[in-house]
Amino acid sequence: MNFTYANRGDLGDRDFSTKIVSELAALCKEDAPLIVLFYSPPFYPAVSSKNDPVIKNTAGKLIQYAADRYGIALREVQYFPGLSDLSYLQLEKQDVGAYTSNMPLFNRGYSLPSREDEALYVPVLNVGPSGKDPHKWTERLYVPYSFEVLPDLLSFTISALLKQSEAASQS
């Protein structure tokens, strides 16, 4: 295995993880079919800020604003099913041991903050474009919403968050 690490070359984390698993699987001398399950970085744990009062308040205001201004019925989803960098903002409360123990590169070139003073916990709200099949060759984006309505909704959301932050700091 040290040979594999020493000869990584230009492989990214995903491809290098696959190479490690492939080389380990080659050591298995069984003739039967073999299935190997593992996780490759980057790892994005699912997060939810559904119980955070600022996020709840902002989401409610945004839903009402979108309905009043655009006649759009936004719906609140507790969990974003895609990949999002926002997941890294709530690492403090994550129990990721089941994933990292099955990740060949964990603590061998890829890691997550592990100490409380290194970890983050920031409530998150994901407001994004509308489309279908993200990250697939059939991916498509609904342009009128994404480029005409969404910028205004993002501006409204940011303003609502800043107003709440300002009010909290004054009290």
Side-chain angles (χ1 to χ4, degrees), residues 48-89:
S48 175
S49 296
K50 69 180 181 179
N51 295 322
D52 184 89
V54 171
I55 298 300
K56 285 175 87 164
N57 188 335
T58 303
K61 288 178 180 179
L62 176 62
I63 289 168
Q64 189 63 52
Y65 179 78
D68 294 346
R69 177 95 186 242
Y70 297 102
I72 296 172
L74 294 181
R75 70 180 202 277
E76 191 174 339
V77 178
Q78 300 304 324
Y79 150 78
F80 177 63
L83 296 176
S84 173
D85 291 336
L86 295 175
S87 296
Y88 280 104
L89 297 177

Side-chain angles (χ1 to χ4, degrees), residues 5 13 15 22 29 31 35 41 43 45 47 49 58 65-66 69-71 76 78 81 88 95 119 126-127 147 149-150:
Y5 282 99
D13 289 343
D15 291 333
S22 178
K29 300 302 179 194
D31 290 334
I35 296 175
F43 168 67
V47 299
S49 296
T58 303
Y65 179 78
R69 177 95 186 242
Y70 297 102
E76 191 174 339
Q78 300 304 324
Y88 280 104
D95 178 16
N126 192 0
V127 180
F147 289 99
V149 175
L150 180 61

Side-chain angles (χ1 to χ4, degrees), residues 112-128:
L112 297 170
S114 57
R115 296 190 346 245
E116 192 170 312
D117 62 327
E118 293 176 336
L120 297 171
Y121 184 79
V122 178
V124 298
L125 176 63
N126 192 0
V127 180

Side-chain angles (χ1 to χ4, degrees), residues 125-140:
L125 176 63
N126 192 0
V127 180
S130 179
K132 300 281 184 184
D133 298 339
H135 306 295
K136 297 179 183 174
W137 73 272
T138 55
E139 179 176 6
R140 51 211 183 273

